[in-house]
Amino acid sequence: MRSSVRVLLLSILMLTVTVSCKKTVKTEVKEVDTYVADNYTKKEVDIEMRDGIKLHTTIYSPKDTSKEYPIIMQRTPYSSRPYGEGNFRTKIGPNEHLMKEGNIIVYQDVRGRWLSEGHYVNMRAYIPNKTSDEQVDESSDTYDTIEWLVNNVENNNGNVGIWGISYPGHYATYATIDAHPALKAASPQACIGDFFFDDFHHNGAYLLSYFRATSLFGTPRPNGDAPIDTAWYTLPNLPTEDQYQFFLDAGPLENLDHFFEYETADTPTMRPEGVTDDYFWNELKEHPNYDAMWQSRGLIQHLKNVKSSVATMIVGGWFDAEDLYGPLETYKNIEKYNEGNYNTMVFGPWDHGGWARDKERNVVGNYYFGDSISLFYQKDIETKFFNHFLKEEGDMNSGLPEAYVFDTGKKEWKKYDVWPPENAVRKTMYLSDDQELTSEPKAITGIQFISNVKKPVPYSEDVKTVFTPRKYMTDDQRFAARRSDVLIFETEVMDEDLTLAGDIMAKLKVATTGTAADWIVKVIDVHPGDAETNEEMQDHLKMSNYHLMVRSEVLRGRFRNSFSEPEPFTPNQKTDVDIKLQDVFHTIKKGHKLQIQIQSTWFPLIDLNPQTYVDNIFKADESDFKTQTHTVFTDSNIEFTVLK
């Protein structure tokens, strides 16, 4: 009896505890930010271009109609969603300040994407001196869109700005060519300049790490290229989380074709052998050199006549793995050919688009740069730029410097009237024997290493499969320094600061037992043993002796003399290979060391070079891939741009 009562009481107690525990479980309800819906009206229109094609455009206008507002627009291939006039974005515009101050914010699907009509061309070529309304490009589409907006959107003040990050940044650059008179401010950010040097290629080397992004740009829209409001493409699904091993096992690039064969059993496609359903993959395969197709789609060469009525502010991240060439070359070419234009640059310690995020701590990969850097940019640089040219005087005195740049070594902002700074000079350092990086040349010798195509140097020690790479730009390079196929050249411990401020030119003297090779140069800041570890660091690493990669670049050796006309190496013949590394602004601080690493594989960031010359590496056979011995001679040098 007592036992039964005890069991009953115990059961009631357990039930009570269970119910009590259930009561304490909290379901986190995420609040929906309704600021945009509360303060803006939304309208969707299809704006007709000069050739009759209609582009889907979304317009957010302030509900307060007591005053006039500028129009700030973005043109994108990535969708102006959410679609439907009752569906609102939670944030609009370049940043929260511009949203809350009140601006007319416009998003547009570019020609051939999502709900816009027409046919999409990846990096559509600019057409100068158009002779008919049938000759259209992104410049004419932007012009026609602005013309419609300023004449049809109520309460606009007649001034238009444009911005965008990455591909939308490319369209922002495009807008400055044959610009509409109402366009007063453009901010291309991480803007693609040329797909042979941005994203999918670096100096002619194919970036295999972007393989999964191919279908995003090359999958044809279904139903006769009709507008569509849902994604029609899928990313290749790799059957592993180890991309290094996957691509190594896959072998030659032609073995990857099957990822881009999109037809189903119900809708088979008849196509020639070797041609896939993905037109961008086909272009990559059929155009391995910088030929007329790639040249026509580059935008950098068309920046010689940017309208002086358009103020430009080019924005980029020093550690942007995707688009570093584009923004730097965009700024430099506008500056070079358009004397008197308002043209400025802002570069900070960011990865791709990091300046647009609202995180308090600014980190790239493992490396911490400081607090509120992006927030400062949004409030005190970006907002100031657009307000000055769209709401205020709009003269040359914006209050912003020519170059607003972040020293990623000292971790502080600097302002300069020109870039590189006026007090910058060239400093040459030599790749000397005994792993030394010296200020004076020493005896000339050859340093050899074996480049094994079965064991290429990884670009990261992480085991991962990513959509596009980012973190590696600040990765600790100790793992590479410990390999026999990576050459090391290093200074003594610095007894004073050395500030790198501009581009870097590696002038290599090399030889190979084969007829083809890639050459990779990495500039590294070796931290002292007592450096403190930040909280974002991966568990297996410490900041003590951290090898911070400051800049790196590859040159596919066949392009050493021309990107359009490749040529093999003569086996065992000493050969010049010059590699331009993009600009940096980084101080190697007192107590640190400056290190250079040289290697010939970087896998699978870039595809594997057969090391035997073939006309087209995309069509190389397994038998073409050979292990070779490479030599770097000690009359090689690195030219830095440094502050005096």
Side-chain angles (χ1 to χ4, degrees), residues 293-356:
M293 187 203 77
W294 293 116
Q295 292 174 30
S296 70
R297 296 185 185 186
L299 197 56
I300 300 299
Q301 62 267 38
H302 298 297
L303 298 178
K304 296 181 179 180
N305 293 295
V306 173
K307 293 290 181 66
S308 60
S309 56
V310 184
T312 49
M313 183 177 77
I314 317 303
V315 182
W318 290 129
F319 299 101
D320 188 340
E322 299 177 46
D323 298 300
L324 185 60
Y325 167 91
L328 284 169
E329 290 300 313
T330 297
Y331 166 77
K332 290 179 180 181
N333 278 271
I334 293 177
E335 193 68 16
K336 180 179 180 180
Y337 294 109
N338 302 274
E339 185 177 353
N341 279 31
Y342 182 97
N343 178 48
T344 61
M345 61 177 278
V346 182
F347 271 76
W350 301 304
D351 59 6
H352 193 62
W355 50 92

Side-chain angles (χ1 to χ4, degrees), residues 431-437 442 445 447 488-490 634:
L431 309 184
S432 298
D433 217 348
D434 297 324
Q435 298 189 351
E436 290 184 326
L437 183 63
K442 294 190 174 183
T445 60
I447 306 172
I488 303 300
F489 304 92
E490 189 175 81
T634 56

Side-chain angles (χ1 to χ4, degrees), residues 42-60:
K42 180 185 177 186
K43 185 177 182 180
E44 296 186 19
V45 297
D46 294 321
I47 301 176
E48 187 171 337
M49 301 293 103
R50 63 190 65 181
D51 64 343
I53 292 296
K54 295 179 180 179
L55 304 188
H56 189 78
T57 309
T58 300
I59 305 165
Y60 292 90

Side-chain angles (χ1 to χ4, degrees), residues 195-413:
F195 259 169
F196 205 73
F197 302 96
D198 283 309
D199 288 298
F200 290 89
H201 298 93
H202 273 209
N203 289 329
Y206 169 59
L207 264 71
L208 186 56
S209 52
Y210 284 78
F211 171 78
R212 296 186 68 224
T214 306
S215 57
L216 180 62
F217 304 106
T219 306
R221 284 194 300 187
N223 303 318
D225 210 5
I228 185 171
D229 64 359
T230 55
W232 63 97
Y233 49 80
T234 57
L235 305 181
N237 183 24
L238 304 189
T240 177
E241 293 183 2
D242 185 348
Q243 63 182 8
Y244 179 98
Q245 195 61 47
F246 170 79
F247 285 118
L248 196 61
D249 292 342
L253 291 173
E254 64 181 2
N255 293 344
L256 301 174
D257 281 359
H258 65 93
F259 283 99
F260 303 109
E261 295 169 355
Y262 301 139
E263 76 273 17
T264 66
D266 297 327
T267 57
T269 299
M270 297 296 292
R271 49 177 149 65
E273 184 178 352
V275 176
T276 71
D277 297 297
D278 190 291
Y279 51 81
F280 186 40
W281 180 247
N282 292 337
E283 288 174 346
L284 289 167
K285 288 177 54 178
E286 297 302 323
H287 299 272
N289 307 323
Y290 194 50
D291 59 14
M293 187 203 77
W294 293 116
Q295 292 174 30
S296 70
R297 296 185 185 186
L299 197 56
I300 300 299
Q301 62 267 38
H302 298 297
L303 298 178
K304 296 181 179 180
N305 293 295
V306 173
K307 293 290 181 66
S308 60
S309 56
V310 184
T312 49
M313 183 177 77
I314 317 303
V315 182
W318 290 129
F319 299 101
D320 188 340
E322 299 177 46
D323 298 300
L324 185 60
Y325 167 91
L328 284 169
E329 290 300 313
T330 297
Y331 166 77
K332 290 179 180 181
N333 278 271
I334 293 177
E335 193 68 16
K336 180 179 180 180
Y337 294 109
N338 302 274
E339 185 177 353
N341 279 31
Y342 182 97
N343 178 48
T344 61
M345 61 177 278
V346 182
F347 271 76
W350 301 304
D351 59 6
H352 193 62
W355 50 92
R357 302 182 195 121
D358 57 6
K359 291 183 178 179
E360 181 74 22
R361 289 176 64 83
N362 282 194
V363 180
V364 178
N366 286 310
Y367 205 85
Y368 167 70
F369 290 100
D371 289 344
S372 303
I373 300 170
S374 299
L375 301 178
F376 167 78
Y377 158 77
Q378 293 166 30
K379 181 176 183 292
D380 294 313
I381 301 176
E382 186 175 48
T383 298
K384 193 171 186 177
F385 169 76
F386 278 113
N387 281 347
H388 180 75
F389 289 101
L390 302 181
K391 293 181 178 179
E392 299 165 4
E393 292 82 359
D395 57 16
M396 299 294 284
N397 300 314
S398 67
L400 296 170
E402 171 81 12
Y404 222 141
V405 287
F406 192 92
D407 184 328
T408 54
K410 287 186 175 179
K411 301 182 180 179
E412 62 186 23
W413 285 104

